[in-house]
Amino acid sequence: MQRHPDFEFEAERLEYTIQYMQRLLVQSQRNVDASQEEIRHSMADLDSLDSSISYINILTNTRFFEMARSQKETFEAVQQKPYFARIHFQPDGEKDQLLYIGKTSVFHQETQDPIIVDWRSPVANVYYDGRLGELSYDVRGEEVSGCLHSKRQYRIEDGELLDVRDIDLTTNDELLQEALAGKADVRLTEIISTIQTEQNDIIRASLHKPIIVQGAAGSGKTTIALHRISYFLYTMGTDFPADKLMILAPSRLFMDYIADVLPELGVGAIRQTTYEEYVLGATGLKLKMNDPNGKLEHLASAGSLDETAIAIARLKGTASYRSIMDRYVAKLESATAALFEDVFIDKYRIIGAKRLRKLFLEDFGYLPIEKRLDRIRLVMNAEVNRQRKQLYTLLSDKYEEALDKALYGIKDDEKRRSRITKIMDERDERLPAVEAEGKRKVSSYMKRFKKFNVKSLYRAWLTDADLQGALAPGWTAEFREEFRRAHAKPVWESEDLAALYDLHVRLKGLGAEWKVRAVFIDEAQDYSEYQLTALHDGLGTDLFTLVGDLAQGIHSYRALTSWQPVLDMLPEATYATLQKSYRTTVEIMQLANTVLAQMEEDLPLVEPVVRHGIPPVFHEMERLDVPQLRRITEEIAARGHRSVALICKTNAEAERLHGQLAASGMRVQLLAPDSDIDDTCLLIVPSVLSKGLEFDVVLIAAFDNPFRNTDIDRKLLYVAMTRPMHELHLLGGAAGGVLD
């Protein structure tokens, strides 16, 4: 292949950049060492008389240490591939610029000229969106105009320049094709260089508004979400520290899958958790949870699930169920308000019950109930202390006046002495009693307000017929009985988490460590309306980025079947759709589209990027044929593929096949929700856990329980079929069911 005419120039430029970064790395290491040494000195000085200075030094140098270490780690991560593109741009009225774009910014220490420009910077957007010629881009509300003379991309590996290409629409497509032809285990980390216009628009959409993305399988939803977080921190990091952002992922397995890309994007410090983990942490509840995929497993099996169980699961995710919790909170609020009585010290009224109820229901009504009571305690403390002193002075003056009257108004010596003694005895007993009563009045009065036990309160709702009659009068007696019977055992379902979180937030409040200001949710279609509204209202923020695909809504029996409830919750949200699939080949997507076309959601077919490969292959076997499977996987390995997954419809079948293959001596790994993926093994994956993952090659097995023409089976099959990048193999008896 003929080299680019500027290849030597670009090779020298790369060598210069790497050498300069090595100098910066040495300097960063010195800064790390110096900060550590200063911390050690300050620690040694803590015993000195003025230890406060040492504490300040420790805090200051700890910050310097963290900054130096972060800079050092960033440079180490990118020095062997410092940039991936270049733009030749000339702003109007200024000299032209050659700007090299990479994963972080590097400036010359003396001239402050950019050596590398961060891909998230405004000018780098020209690379992703700019056509050659005159254009403009936005920098914090101001428009910068100029001429884009050229765009160039580089292929760099281990610090060596391998290829240089000037980009127009044709070569951009070629570069995308090459990237898509790569391996699943590296493609996630390399998407920055091939972000497409529609993806870039979402990544850089207004950070002050929520965004909802309906994205087809393989459209890059996860990588878009991660890069949007990175862009968010780059643009608004001074106002939004990383610990105030949260990724809600579908499982620990998924978090392990994206773990490698997080540090490179600079978003490793943000909270990464699942909805269940977050709710249990925020509420402090210890609950024995049923397997959240248990109902789904049952639905996907040949048998059928109790329709009442499905109806209850669906109900718990609705706005109407939240209305029941609204009534429950109102009932508890009313019962709490009824406990307020006049506050007396001695026989004097200090605060009236009417005023306290107004504080509780109106002035502090925006707070959780327990927080309102905390505020009222403060008000009472201040008022009681103030009036206690006034009362003490008032009573003292009255006794002094009574003593004067007795001393000067009673002629008889014996009567005068008796009266004075009585007054003094009463004064000496009453005044200390008033003082003591005043000091303990608030604490004794507030004892009537007990702390809420959210778990017990919600459990009472699940099992108490009278409470259900009061809060859900529209329910039939038969349904109430079925509802109570379903909750006879104290085991909790994932559908209960929304109500438990909601009750906790409204009764007790959310601890500061659990409050975040921006939330990024992947696989958002698997959340219910109540889960999302409870989270939205509990956190008090609109800054949500939700990405999902209704076609992959395998939990649709209890979760979203439309984005409309989310749009109602977030009326300012931007709604975007992604119909192009960058993951899989045309041949695989065509087969997957036949399944998509049969879904109830009436979603448009996915548009695969034109990349051809081996057509899906059906291997007929009535039961698992281990020798045949071994031959298939050996042929796959011979074609250079690394990550291979055998996706089974149910967990039970995945466990059975794993046992058979392990016994035969094959290297296999059965993936569980908390697994660390080992790509050197044949991965055995239940279909419910495969969502969000991608592999070079996928084999789908359906021996015990073939896919049927039902909504849940269609979605499970569609999810499994859209996981591979390069090859799809179907194993089972005679092709039928959904594939017919």
Side-chain angles (χ1 to χ4, degrees), residues 165 167-180 196 580 609-610:
R165 296 191 193 182
I167 299 175
D168 56 25
L169 289 178
T170 304
T171 54
N172 196 36
D173 285 345
E174 291 172 1
L175 292 164
L176 176 62
Q177 293 283 351
E178 289 179 7
L180 296 179
Q196 300 300 290
K580 285 185 180 179
V609 171
V610 180

Side-chain angles (χ1 to χ4, degrees), residues 58-126:
I58 290 171
L59 292 174
T60 301
N61 284 293
T62 298
R63 283 195 290 270
F64 283 143
F65 171 73
E66 291 298 333
M67 289 169 59
R69 186 176 66 176
S70 175
Q71 185 182 59
K72 175 176 173 289
E73 290 173 351
T74 299
F75 289 158
E76 286 175 338
V78 303
Q79 68 166 332
Q80 293 304 304
K81 190 172 183 178
Y83 49 80
F84 55 83
R86 188 198 82 178
I87 57 173
H88 181 186
F89 181 67
Q90 184 172 13
D92 289 346
E94 298 181 27
K95 292 192 302 182
D96 59 349
Q97 305 168 337
L98 296 180
L99 299 175
Y100 289 78
I101 301 170
K103 293 180 181 178
T104 189
S105 292
V106 177
F107 294 90
H108 194 285
Q109 290 182 311
E110 295 175 3
T111 65
Q112 291 304 302
D113 290 335
I115 295 173
I116 305 172
V117 174
D118 194 298
W119 70 272
R120 297 165 292 186
S121 65
V123 71
N125 196 35
V126 171

Side-chain angles (χ1 to χ4, degrees), residues 196-207 209-229 519-527 532 544-553 560 562-564 566-567 569-570 572-580 582 603-604:
Q196 300 300 290
T197 300
E198 72 273 19
Q199 297 172 328
N200 186 55
D201 289 343
I202 294 170
I203 291 169
R204 296 176 189 261
S206 173
L207 298 174
K209 290 183 178 181
I211 187 167
I212 302 163
V213 181
Q214 161 58 40
S219 59
K221 296 184 296 297
T222 298
T223 48
I224 287 169
L226 295 175
H227 286 75
R228 183 167 169 80
I229 298 169
V519 185
F520 301 81
I521 302 180
D522 201 356
E523 304 293 348
Q525 78 281 347
D526 287 338
Y527 288 69
L532 293 173
F544 277 70
T545 294
L546 299 105
V547 300
D549 180 13
L550 295 176
Q552 298 180 65
L560 296 172
S562 161
W563 294 115
Q564 192 56 51
V566 190
L567 290 166
M569 180 184 82
L570 301 168
E572 297 296 314
T574 300
Y575 179 75
T577 59
L578 295 169
Q579 282 309 115
K580 285 185 180 179
Y582 297 94
L603 294 166

Side-chain angles (χ1 to χ4, degrees), residues 569-617:
M569 180 184 82
L570 301 168
E572 297 296 314
T574 300
Y575 179 75
T577 59
L578 295 169
Q579 282 309 115
K580 285 185 180 179
S581 174
Y582 297 94
R583 175 184 297 139
T584 197
T585 63
V586 171
E587 290 77 9
I588 295 173
M589 202 65 241
Q590 284 175 341
L591 185 61
N593 270 335
T594 65
V595 179
L596 179 61
Q598 300 177 54
M599 292 192 187
E600 298 171 2
E601 283 76 11
D602 192 28
L603 294 166
L605 299 181
V606 179
E607 304 167 20
V609 171
V610 180
R611 180 170 65 88
H612 290 281
I614 298 172
V617 182

Side-chain angles (χ1 to χ4, degrees), residues 3-12 152 161-164:
R3 280 185 168 184
H4 191 283
D6 290 343
F7 188 90
E8 295 302 327
F9 167 80
E10 294 292 2
E12 290 176 8
R152 181 170 288 181
L161 182 65
L162 302 181
D163 192 17
V164 179

Side-chain angles (χ1 to χ4, degrees), residues 295-310:
K295 289 189 181 71
L296 184 62
E297 281 282 313
H298 202 141
L299 278 170
S301 69
S304 61
L305 191 65
D306 181 2
E307 287 300 317
T308 302
I310 292 297

